[in-house]
Amino acid sequence: MVELEVDNLKVHFFTSTGTVRAVDGVSFSLKGKSLGIAGESGSGKTTLGLALMNLIPSPGRIVSGSISLDGNNILQFNEEKYRTEVRWRQISMIFQGAMNALNPVYTIGHQLMEPLKFHSELVGEKARKKAEDALREVGLDASMMQRYPHELSGGMKQRVVIAMALILRPKIVIADEPTTALDVIVQAQVINLLKRLERELGISIIMITHDLSVISELVDIVGIMYAGELVEIGPAEQIYNNPKHPYTQKLLNAVPRLHGKRTKLESIPGIPPDLKSPPPGCRFHPRCPYVMGICKVSTPPYFTFTDQKATCWLYKEKA
Amino acid sequence: MQDDYLIVAENVSKWFPIRRDLSDIVLRRPIHYVKAVDNVSLKIKRGEIFVLVGESGCGKTTLGKLLLKAYELDAGKITFEGNDISVVKGKKLKEFRRVAQVIFQDPYASLDPRFTAWDVLNEPLHIHNVGSTKEERQEIIFRAMEDVKLIPPEDFLERFPHMLSGGQRQRLAMARTLVLEPKFIVADEPVSMLDLSIRAEILELMFSLKHRRNITYLYITHDLSTARYVGDTIGIMYLGKIVEMGRASDVIENPLHPYTQALLDAVPEPDPSNRFKERHVRITGEIPSPANIPSGCSLHPRCPYAFTLCPVKYPEMKQISNGRLASCYLYEPTVSDVKAD
Ligand SMILES: Nc1ncnc2c1ncn2[C@@H]1O[C@H](COP(=O)(O)OP(=O)(O)OP(=O)(O)O)[C@@H](O)[C@H]1O
Ligand SMILES: Nc1ncnc2c1ncn2[C@@H]1O[C@H](COP(=O)(O)OP(=O)(O)O)[C@@H](O)[C@H]1O
Ligand SMILES: [Mg+2]
Ligand SMILES: [Mg+2]
């Protein structure tokens, strides 16, 4: 079981109009469990995932912090070492929207073997065998190798991109919005599949989504991102039943439920800040119902409650 | 009483011909159709929110467009306040276009980027000749902006869409419909592109407008959880047909049609104890292409019940109990005794 530790990670995009602080001081650790990262559009979820894969596109850069696997800071690896030892091998990713980005002119087999191309020992027959095994793991037939993307349904395409992430048997799989483009019945099938893979292959899944319902179907630990920061993280039960951060609380009150009492849905006034010039202090303070003087000037640290932590000044006294 | 209904659609269909290439024409292959909407009947009461739920491609948008006369019908009849909309012309048609409006899913694509908020709201007034003076128009525009909480209006009038948040854009799109004093609005997935934290305000706004302005809605969504929050009546659509209809709470609490049951099985809920179990969804596989709809009841290849008659003949929509409609042989004892192998 591999241990992932992310410490004070910052990823910024240096655009012509300013610096976008997309991930701004994120820390967490993970061992043998699955993690969900939830947050609204633009909160930095995908950027965090790409950072773990060391695939931040320009004009972005990891500006500070560390990412360690079993104690080795992989950010210090050069690209060659990262490519042969880490990416796809230890950590892989199902990219947001990948199922709709499959190349129409290549067969599924061709695209599935993409992660193998930097592994010279895995060519020809060996490579094909790996790809077929991966297809079987996601419930597809090996004959899928010869087909083209347009011949596949949405659910099948999503299974193909999941197979691609599994091909080198990684220990951690990042799944970025893996069900967002799917209808609800296929979504349930894909979530069932991810559960089975987690159990049978012993992988840790890092599920990224804006959907707090989907995430609760799968993960043990939930982290909530707001404006580039991980404002709360803890065991799923704690986050859903006893959220500490006002943002988490408000967000959960906005989730429509299918059963139970039909309580009024809440919305959070205002909008998330522009990450080029986030507000000083706590980034949530302009929208927070409990805002205090200190929130406007000073960035709250994590306050810890057994295995849950949240960045909110409300807990200063209790700490 | 018929008067309670603002809109009545009877056996309406819209079939889109599938494009044929030259060889199809030369070989005289028959024209094939996508049966986007196929023999659908529904009634929408004045002042209610009728929610149309279904997976993508099942025909929701097409049905919404038929009700707005944005497409011509291929079969059937639609009446609005008792008038057949396929024959209205001239002044009456213009009046229909004013009182029946639409809000689209994508608040980014539905607003012209070169128009300020003022232009967006003034244009429909101009087209429909509403308000004779600038003052009169300003009053109407301000009232609509206040109704959708773009306040104070002066702060927003000069803004272009890119200067508005997603929620504000969607509210501007709602204001655009309100300036014309609509009676009926088709809201086609109006919140599915918006972040969770601002969805509730748009739904809330719909409720308050329904009450304050007595607006009737057709609300289109693929999300059963929001359907339950906003809906008075729910219609479940599968491959061009409405397969079940009833009061929103009844349909959610006690679904009759196997397809509705399966949809409900699949809906995720924000409850972490769900991760310890797999979801059992009562139907298997994926929705077939609407260009290639299975015979009889189109659900039959995926349905756990599938009687001998199901692939042969479509089950007519029947009243199952008070106010509950479904089209399924499960509720016809003589048919449901005979199981297909
Ligand atoms: N290549 C890029 N260049 C400049 N800015 C970028 C780039 N990629 C992302 N950003 C910015 O970084 C921030 C975080 O983006 P990210 O894609 O990580 O968000 P997200 O949480 O995944 O959102 P979504 O839910 O919409 O997928 C946003 O402000 C975004 O505009
Ligand atoms: N203008 C059109 N021309 C041809 N086919 C169409 C047109 N509009 C919709 N369709 C087809 O009709 C079916 C139903 O589409 P639509 O009403 O948009 O479904 P939904 O809104 O439920 O996703 C789909 O197969 C779609 O491709
Ligand atoms: Mg993303
Ligand atoms: Mg649609």
Side-chain angles (χ1 to χ4, degrees):
Chain A
M1 222 174 280
V2 63
E3 178 163 23
L4 171 69
E5 258 189 295
V6 174
D7 187 42
N8 200 21
L9 184 70
K10 294 191 180 184
V11 185
H12 296 173
F13 291 95
F14 300 91
T15 71
S16 57
T17 54
T19 302
V20 181
R21 304 161 69 138
V23 171
D24 217 21
V26 165
S27 308
F28 64 88
S29 63
L30 186 68
K31 188 175 184 183
K33 295 217 155 129
S34 55
L35 166 71
I37 300 283
E40 295 178 85
S41 186
S43 58
K45 307 180 297 293
T46 297
T47 306
L48 174 61
L50 291 174
L52 297 176
M53 290 287 282
N54 206 354
L55 285 175
I56 295 295
S58 82
R61 200 154 45 74
I62 295 176
V63 293
S64 64
S66 65
I67 301 173
S68 308
L69 278 180
D70 286 337
N72 302 312
N73 184 359
I74 53 179
L75 289 183
Q76 275 161 4
F77 291 8
N78 62 25
E79 172 58 19
E80 173 66 20
K81 191 165 156 81
Y82 205 96
R83 197 158 68 193
T84 48
E85 292 178 20
V86 184
R87 192 182 300 134
W88 301 114
R89 252 213 167 163
Q90 304 238 43
I91 308 183
S92 72
M93 185 157 174
I94 302 161
F95 297 103
Q96 182 170 11
M99 61 175 273
N100 295 317
L102 288 169
N103 192 328
V105 304
Y106 292 112
T107 60
I108 295 302
H110 182 102
Q111 301 185 61
L112 198 51
M113 291 184 284
E114 179 71 25
L116 302 181
K117 80 177 174 213
F118 295 111
H119 300 272
S120 48
E121 75 284 8
L122 291 168
V123 287
E125 194 55 25
K126 265 198 196 137
R128 227 198 59 223
K129 170 117 193 348
K130 283 243 173 246
E132 288 178 0
D133 287 347
L135 282 173
R136 267 190 289 275
E137 246 136 36
V138 299
L140 293 174
D141 194 83
S143 68
M144 196 58 70
M145 297 284 284
Q146 281 81 47
R147 315 246 313 248
Y148 287 87
H150 73 267
E151 302 172 55
L152 273 55
S153 69
M156 285 150 99
K157 280 191 266 194
Q158 189 60 38
R159 283 170 198 266
V160 168
V161 292
I162 294 173
M164 197 185 295
L166 295 177
I167 200 162
L168 279 171
R169 301 261 168 199
K171 303 186 183 79
I172 297 171
V173 175
I174 304 162
D176 192 357
E177 305 276 5
T179 65
T180 307
L182 304 173
D183 276 314
V184 62
I185 291 177
V186 181
Q187 168 170 288
Q189 294 165 355
V190 168
I191 293 172
N192 281 344
L193 169 67
L194 291 172
K195 274 183 198 171
R196 226 195 57 226
L197 294 172
E198 197 187 355
R199 204 176 53 231
E200 289 173 7
L201 306 180
I203 51 176
S204 281
I205 292 178
I206 299 181
M207 171 112 153
I208 294 175
T209 174
H210 67 282
D211 189 328
L212 284 162
S213 302
V214 165
I215 228 167
S216 74
E217 296 275 327
L218 191 73
V219 306
D220 307 308
I221 297 168
V222 175
I224 305 287
M225 276 191 89
Y226 184 77
E229 297 176 335
L230 190 68
V231 297
E232 177 159 9
I233 186 167
E237 278 73 15
Q238 282 300 318
I239 300 294
Y240 283 86
N241 303 328
N242 192 8
K244 297 291 184 193
H245 200 287
Y247 178 63
T248 316
Q249 295 168 354
K250 292 277 150 197
L251 208 54
L252 283 165
N253 289 341
V255 181
R257 285 156 207 263
L258 193 55
H259 297 291
K261 237 178 87 203
R262 203 168 89 165
T263 47
K264 197 163 171 280
L265 294 180
E266 275 187 47
S267 52
I268 308 177
I271 55 167
D274 179 358
L275 292 181
K276 283 182 206 130
S277 51
C282 169
R283 290 182 180 179
F284 186 59
H285 88 254
R287 303 175 76 187
C288 184
Y290 312 115
V291 60
M292 305 174 288
I294 189 173
C295 309
K296 298 176 188 171
V297 290
S298 181
T299 306
Y302 282 114
F303 293 100
T304 307
F305 316 81
T306 13
D307 39 10
Q308 177 181 14
K309 55 181 190 171
T311 57
C312 176
W313 285 119
L314 279 178
Y315 303 101
K316 188 175 173 232
E317 303 303 302
K318 289 152 206 144
Chain B
M1 235 178 67
Q2 204 68 355
D3 274 359
D4 296 344
Y5 294 103
L6 182 71
I7 292 204
V8 178
E10 290 169 81
N11 306 102
V12 299
S13 296
K14 183 74 199 172
W15 295 12
F16 296 106
I18 296 170
R19 259 192 45 170
R20 303 197 302 165
D21 54 32
L22 195 61
S23 71
D24 292 333
I25 295 165
V26 172
L27 295 171
R28 303 198 179 189
R29 290 202 189 101
I31 303 180
H32 283 282
Y33 293 92
V34 173
K35 298 180 181 175
V37 171
D38 193 31
N39 202 13
V40 165
S41 300
L42 63 87
K43 295 174 179 177
I44 305 180
K45 286 201 195 89
R46 272 180 206 277
E48 81 163 335
I49 300 182
F50 185 107
V51 189
L52 198 56
V53 184
E55 295 175 89
S56 63
C58 72
K60 306 181 294 298
T61 298
T62 305
L63 181 54
K65 287 185 169 176
L66 288 175
L67 297 183
L68 292 172
K69 198 177 158 69
Y71 286 139
E72 291 303 321
L73 287 170
D74 289 328
K77 181 175 159 186
I78 294 170
T79 59
F80 184 84
E81 300 193 303
N83 300 312
D84 184 342
I85 64 165
S86 52
V87 298
V88 293
K89 286 195 187 64
K91 244 184 90 188
K92 276 229 147 152
L93 177 58
K94 211 165 171 198
E95 169 70 9
F96 175 72
R97 295 263 177 254
R98 185 177 69 75
V99 298
Q101 297 279 335
V102 63
I103 302 167
F104 296 105
Q105 170 174 15
D106 187 350
Y108 296 84
S110 63
L111 297 171
D112 188 324
R114 297 160 307 173
F115 276 24
T116 61
W118 169 270
D119 299 333
V120 167
L121 300 177
N122 192 42
E123 197 199 21
L125 297 180
H126 181 75
I127 293 172
H128 287 274
N129 251 320
V130 181
S132 41
T133 61
K134 190 171 175 212
E135 285 67 42
E136 231 176 281
R137 288 185 180 184
Q138 178 163 328
E139 202 189 306
I140 296 169
I141 288 175
F142 273 41
R143 185 169 159 237
M145 291 179 85
E146 276 156 15
D147 268 356
V148 301
K149 304 225 170 57
L150 289 174
I151 33 185
E154 295 86 343
D155 276 8
F156 293 93
L157 286 176
E158 300 305 314
R159 295 208 208 171
F160 291 94
H162 75 266
M163 300 162 143
L164 299 172
S165 71
Q168 288 169 340
R169 278 180 230 217
Q170 206 54 306
R171 281 185 275 155
L172 180 60
M174 292 178 91
R176 177 172 57 184
T177 65
L178 294 181
V179 293
L180 294 173
E181 302 277 339
K183 293 178 180 167
F184 177 53
I185 294 178
V186 172
D188 192 350
E189 312 229 22
V191 299
S192 59
M193 308 261 297
L194 299 179
D195 266 319
L196 188 59
S197 74
I198 51 182
R199 276 185 193 185
E201 75 176 45
I202 300 292
L203 299 178
E204 211 40 54
L205 196 57
M206 255 183 41
F207 273 131
S208 77
L209 293 171
K210 163 183 133 154
H211 291 300
R212 274 187 299 143
R213 294 195 176 208
N214 195 30
I215 296 172
T216 306
Y217 287 90
L218 178 78
Y219 183 91
I220 296 176
T221 181
H222 58 269
D223 176 13
L224 274 158
S225 306
T226 33
R228 168 179 182 243
Y229 276 83
V230 301
D232 297 303
T233 304
I234 288 183
I236 305 283
M237 218 170 159
Y238 185 71
L239 287 173
K241 306 238 191 220
I242 291 186
V243 297
E244 171 159 8
M245 243 183 305
R247 268 195 28 218
S249 51
D250 291 344
V251 173
I252 303 271
E253 295 307 324
N254 177 25
L256 296 174
H257 198 282
Y259 179 64
T260 316
Q261 294 170 353
L263 278 183
L264 285 161
D265 290 339
V267 175
E269 284 203 272
D271 174 359
S273 67
N274 285 343
R275 72 183 190 278
F276 299 115
K277 46 192 187 240
E278 283 207 1
R279 270 188 186 270
H280 175 66
V281 179
R282 274 171 269 187
I283 64 173
T284 52
E286 289 182 55
I287 195 166
S289 151
N292 206 351
I293 296 179
S295 65
C297 170
S298 47
L299 189 67
H300 83 260
R302 305 174 68 191
C303 184
Y305 304 104
F307 309 114
T308 316
L309 193 57
C310 299
V312 182
K313 186 167 171 287
Y314 190 81
E316 289 310 315
M317 186 76 125
K318 283 224 165 87
Q319 172 142 342
I320 309 298
S321 61
N322 194 17
R324 304 289 312 269
L325 294 162
S327 55
C328 180
Y329 290 128
L330 261 184
Y331 305 96
E332 284 182 41
T334 51
V335 176
S336 54
D337 290 343
V338 191
K339 181 106 182 124
D341 36 26

